[in-house]
Amino acid sequence: MLVASNDEAAKLALESGVDVELPFGNAYNTLINQVRDGKVSQRDVGSSGCTRSPSEFLTGLFDDPSVDPEYAEKITNNAEHQQLALKAAHEAIFC
């Protein structure tokens, strides 16, 4: 374990350039209070949103505020995509 709390994890990840926390968002949910408390700058949080993952757009996350999570799960976590992800992971090991 690198850090002792979700607060610390969110701050470290944000400072390291990680823009998205998947799959649950338990740590990044703490950023609102950390900004209010002055532990994290609002500028850092705001600038992190500038580099969104293409998968967020492909699944329609920004198309409609009432995105269907079951549909997103179906098209991003199906057997074909899992196999592709596994293949990419195996190939990345030998880069």
Side-chain angles (χ1 to χ4, degrees):
M1 179 185 326
L2 293 175
V3 295
S5 70
N6 280 340
D7 287 17
E8 292 178 58
K11 188 174 187 311
L12 178 62
L14 188 69
E15 290 171 350
S16 300
V18 178
D19 294 332
V20 180
E21 179 189 8
L22 298 173
F24 303 113
N26 295 333
Y28 274 21
N29 287 338
T30 69
L31 288 172
I32 294 170
N33 287 331
Q34 290 193 69
V35 169
R36 286 182 188 145
D37 295 342
K39 295 177 183 175
V40 173
S41 80
Q42 186 172 357
R43 181 178 174 186
D44 288 346
V45 173
S47 65
S48 75
C50 294
T51 56
R52 287 292 179 201
S53 164
S55 64
E56 293 178 70
F57 291 101
L58 292 172
T59 60
L61 186 61
F62 301 105
D63 294 346
D64 185 337
S66 58
V67 171
D68 181 357
E70 290 178 15
Y71 175 71
E73 178 77 13
K74 183 174 90 174
I75 66 170
T76 60
N77 194 25
N78 60 43
E80 178 186 358
H81 292 156
Q82 289 176 358
Q83 287 299 313
L84 180 60
L86 181 62
K87 180 181 181 208
H90 284 154
E91 290 177 7
I93 292 171
F94 301 107
C95 286

